[in-house]
Amino acid sequence: QLQFVESGGVSVQPGGSLRLSCAASGFNLNYYGIGWFRQASGKVREGVSCISRLDTATHYADSVKGRFTISRDNAKNTFYLQMSDLKPEDTAVYYCAVAPLCIATIPIPKSASWGRGIQVTVSS
């Protein structure tokens, strides 16, 4: 299972920073590719970032490169999306999921269980 540490919606100002956390139970995250995905209102779901099994590669969407960082804390069996210099266009529902294929296109996992996600709103 994957469980967001945060719950409900999160609101931040443009230029601000936010860290999303997703904790795993029942399996070791270190041996799985993991990813962050988002879906803005009225738009299709897109890949934001992924990190491959054993951290051999990381990928980011062009829209977030240089601003977002994906990472793991193996001791806590938790992974994170550190978001900086947030922009209004980052507003979306964010999801964490196991990502069996982590390549440059950050493909949407076919068998992911998305759950409720977390609404992140970036506005003045």
Side-chain angles (χ1 to χ4, degrees), residues 4-100:
F4 282 104
V5 174
E6 302 84 5
S7 62
V10 181
S11 296
V12 295
Q13 295 182 333
S17 298
L18 179 67
R19 187 179 74 168
L20 300 181
S21 304
C22 194
S25 61
F27 66 98
N28 188 344
L29 277 178
N30 192 45
Y31 300 105
Y32 296 86
I34 52 173
W36 291 94
F37 307 85
R38 69 185 182 187
Q39 185 170 22
S41 181
K43 298 182 179 180
V44 299
R45 184 169 293 165
E46 64 176 348
V48 176
S49 180
C50 64
I51 184 166
S52 64
R53 178 172 56 89
L54 302 178
D55 297 354
T56 55
T58 57
H59 298 282
Y60 296 91
D62 288 342
S63 59
V64 307
K65 286 180 179 177
R67 299 189 297 118
F68 290 13
T69 303
I70 189 170
S71 64
R72 306 175 189 258
D73 185 331
N74 291 331
K76 296 181 179 180
N77 210 26
T78 300
F79 67 103
Y80 309 94
L81 183 67
Q82 178 66 52
M83 302 183 288
S84 300
D85 191 23
L86 284 161
K87 302 176 180 180
E89 51 263 43
D90 294 317
T91 296
V93 177
Y94 284 73
Y95 303 88
C96 60
V98 172

